[in-house]
Amino acid sequence: MRDHDLLVVGSAHADLLVGVERRPRPGETVFGTDLAVHPGGKGANQAFAAARLGARTALLARVGDDGHGRMLLESQHAAGVDVAGVLVGGAPTGVALITVDPSGDNSVVVFPGANHRLSPADIRAAWDLVRTARVVSAQLEIPLETVVEIVRTLSSGSRFVLNPSPPAALPAEVLVACDPLIVNEHEARFLLGTGAGLEPRDWALGLLSRGPRSVVVTLGAAGAIVADGRSRTCVRVPSPRVEAVDTTGAGDAFAAALGWRLGLGEDLETAASYAVRAGAAAVTRRGAQSAYPTAEELPGP
Ligand code: ADP
């Protein structure tokens, strides 16, 4: 019996946003306005998004024994995420310090904190959780060695989905486990290097040749390219046209929705058609988690 549709293994941190007239120069102090504190981190975002859509979701993450950690646990719990696998302690909760200038441009400093303490031993200790999920989804705001341990722990019946963000060189052992590898344009170019090719289709096929069973390249308003190594197909899935207000967290909503629908047995193209709708809905409202659509707003096909 599969306990969870989706297990997200990843980061959870507090986003501290402050508005500034302009960024300080070295040695200078500027006053900011409107401090806002939100739950964030790619792992927490994905788990939150999937649970809002109706997926039976669990999060495996590490937070500190502090106020930010409690805020993260509460918001996950409120969304319906199973937080029994969230580990507490070892370091303070991670924090993203975000300054936003009047043009809307962000500058971000991330203190990884407890996210960098999520270790391979933590994955081994959560053996049951990892082996019984239909789909296991990860990103790279946790140590790469921890992601390697996830693919070593997976059962043959579980599917592994990876969004390599922030991008880093991936060992072959991780690449071949991805089904799919989900990248945006920036991540695709990073992984492919100078031989990237001109078209998104070239990037998808180039990445597929590196070993993943399937690849998805997200293209913002243009939707996504879906390349499946089994069926040898490569198609574009268009996104609905929407009025974009804030694109923060769109990729996390997309990855969460895609992972969930794949676990329900949909093929990659059908799951991606649902995921582009989740990504598009997320950009119509401000923020990340607060912008994610509910099951009522985004009924399945
Ligand atoms: P990331 O947030 O990782 O950079 P993208 O910008 O490619 O990822 O967005 C992920 C998905 O969100 C897209 O595939 C698309 O479905 C949706 N999306 C993002 N921006 C828009 C937009 N402006 N209009 C419609 N859909 C969007």
Side-chain angles (χ1 to χ4, degrees):
M1 148 84 187
R2 300 259 152 198
D3 294 337
H4 297 103
D5 299 327
L6 182 69
L7 169 67
V8 181
V9 187
S11 61
H13 56 233
D15 287 344
L16 271 52
L17 282 111
V18 64
V20 288
E21 275 305 309
R22 59 179 180 77
R23 297 207 168 73
R25 285 186 287 269
E28 190 190 14
T29 299
V30 299
F31 287 106
T33 52
D34 307 327
L35 175 69
V37 182
H38 298 295
K42 297 188 76 65
N45 284 353
Q46 281 194 15
F48 190 99
R52 284 259 278 199
L53 289 172
R56 290 176 308 158
T57 310
L59 176 66
L60 175 49
R62 187 177 275 283
V63 297
D65 185 7
D66 50 30
H68 290 148
R70 284 186 283 282
M71 171 190 72
L72 281 153
L73 282 167
E74 273 164 29
S75 75
Q76 291 288 309
H77 186 70
V81 176
D82 177 353
V83 293
V86 178
L87 302 158
V88 178
T93 301
V95 173
L97 301 167
I98 307 167
T99 52
V100 188
D101 74 12
S103 71
D105 277 342
N106 289 346
S107 298
V108 186
V109 177
V110 172
F111 161 64
N115 293 308
H116 276 193
R117 299 288 177 88
L118 188 71
S119 67
D122 292 335
I123 302 300
R124 288 191 290 275
W127 194 87
D128 247 16
L129 198 57
V130 177
R131 304 242 341 152
T132 56
R134 286 170 190 257
V135 175
V136 179
S137 176
Q139 322 78 37
L140 297 184
E141 289 181 339
I142 56 172
L144 189 55
E145 61 192 23
T146 304
V147 176
V148 171
E149 194 63 31
I150 298 168
V151 306
R152 289 182 183 165
T153 307
L154 286 173
S155 70
S156 56
S158 313
R159 190 163 181 159
F160 180 62
V161 175
L162 178 68
N163 173 214
S165 176
L170 296 171
E173 184 180 5
V174 170
L175 276 169
V176 299
C178 296
D179 194 12
L181 176 75
I182 307 175
V183 291
N184 64 15
E185 174 175 348
H186 167 65
E187 292 143 12
R189 288 182 183 281
F190 178 94
L191 290 175
L192 289 163
T194 47
L198 294 176
E199 301 289 330
R201 203 185 143 80
D202 300 333
W203 308 336
L205 294 174
L207 288 168
L208 198 59
S209 72
R210 305 277 176 99
R213 295 175 207 181
S214 55
V215 171
V216 174
V217 181
T218 63
L219 302 168
I225 298 274
V226 169
D228 198 326
R230 277 161 299 228
S231 56
R232 298 174 181 275
T233 52
C234 183
V235 293
R236 191 170 74 84
V237 177
S239 194
R241 281 172 165 272
V242 292
E243 184 78 29
V245 173
D246 179 1
T247 59
T248 315
D252 297 331
F254 179 99
L258 185 79
W260 173 44
R261 303 305 292 198
L262 289 172
L264 296 186
E266 289 182 357
D267 64 58
L268 191 58
E269 192 180 339
T270 309
S273 313
Y274 182 80
V276 289
R277 291 165 57 209
V283 305
T284 61
R285 291 190 282 244
R286 292 216 167 274
Q289 294 184 7
S290 54
Y292 290 154
T294 61
E296 292 71 40
E297 289 169 320
L298 212 70

